[in-house]
Amino acid sequence: MPGHFEAIPGGGAAIALDEVEISILRSLAVQLLELIGPGDEPVEGADPLAALFAEGPSEAPSDPALARLFPDAYEDPAATAPQDDDGRASSAEFRRFTENDLRAGKREDAVAIVRALDTLSVTGEDEAVLKLTPDVSVRWLRALNDLRLTIGTRLEVTDDDEGAGLYRLPDDDPRKPMVMAYLWLGVLQETLVETLTA
């Protein structure tokens, strides 16, 4: 179980984590929460139906990592020409009615990581075994994906190279810790997928 997820009886997944791993995962999840931003809390006494139909932003985020997490719905990533007016209008309309819910879901997934890790207690060089229910495992999987997308964007990893040059970074490169986190999250994500689909 060290370093990767394994299936547990009754569904779900388990992983053994040491104190440093718990701290890194928790820190990354909190940073993701900060990046996504707080949700709009309904005003006390406000009409719940109005909150349900609240409109979100219509412009794509300027932060490249947020733009990766919340891409335009009608943009062809393979297109070399800029999006036409109809495509921009359609993307803006889609974003206006979906982004708030997407952000809320991503926040809930990141919070699931923090809450699960907060249940663990580790001292010294010991490890704690984290057990996730099937539902929480799916939340973790989505949050791990969001973390990798965010870090990959910051590292400028493209679909073409999958960050091949990152494997050869010298140890004194300031990106090295982020690369190590990116690769580790990839292992966690892969083993969690294997566990949930076995």
Side-chain angles (χ1 to χ4, degrees):
M1 186 178 316
H4 62 274
F5 283 97
E6 292 183 4
I8 55 176
I15 187 169
L17 298 168
D18 63 29
E19 193 171 5
V20 172
E21 292 167 329
I22 292 168
S23 176
I24 291 169
L25 271 173
R26 190 179 194 292
S27 174
L28 290 172
V30 168
Q31 289 176 56
L32 181 62
L33 285 166
E34 291 170 355
L35 177 67
I36 293 169
D40 293 331
E41 294 297 319
V43 178
E44 191 172 327
D47 180 6
L49 190 58
L52 183 63
F53 291 104
E55 294 181 7
S58 59
E59 295 294 320
S62 59
D63 183 312
L66 281 174
R68 181 78 168 121
L69 292 175
F70 305 103
D72 278 332
Y74 294 98
E75 186 160 357
D76 180 3
T80 54
Q83 195 177 39
D84 63 18
D85 288 342
D86 287 342
R88 276 193 296 278
S90 296
S91 289
E93 190 75 0
F94 185 81
R95 181 178 299 282
R96 194 161 56 101
F97 291 110
T98 60
E99 188 167 315
N100 285 345
D101 288 340
L102 291 173
R103 282 182 184 261
K106 289 181 183 301
R107 275 192 298 275
E108 290 169 10
D109 294 340
V111 166
I113 287 184
V114 173
R115 285 187 179 147
L117 294 173
D118 285 349
T119 66
L120 298 178
S121 177
V122 181
T123 55
E125 296 179 20
D126 294 337
E127 293 181 329
V129 176
L130 176 67
K131 294 182 180 179
L132 305 174
T133 65
D135 290 345
V136 175
S137 296
V138 171
R139 287 198 174 280
W140 266 66
L141 186 58
R142 290 191 302 245
L144 289 172
N145 185 62
D146 289 343
L147 286 168
R148 287 197 79 234
L149 286 173
T150 301
I151 293 172
T153 301
R154 297 287 190 240
L155 292 170
E156 299 178 350
V157 175
T158 65
D159 292 337
D160 296 334
D161 70 1
E162 279 298 314
L166 298 176
Y167 294 99
R168 296 184 295 279
L169 286 178
D171 288 342
D172 61 349
D173 190 299
R175 297 172 295 165
K176 189 74 171 197
M178 202 178 333
V179 170
M180 298 306 293
Y182 178 77
L183 298 174
W184 179 52
L185 291 169
V187 170
L188 294 180
Q189 186 179 18
E190 183 179 343
T191 59
L192 186 52
V193 167
E194 290 170 357
T195 298
L196 295 176
T197 57

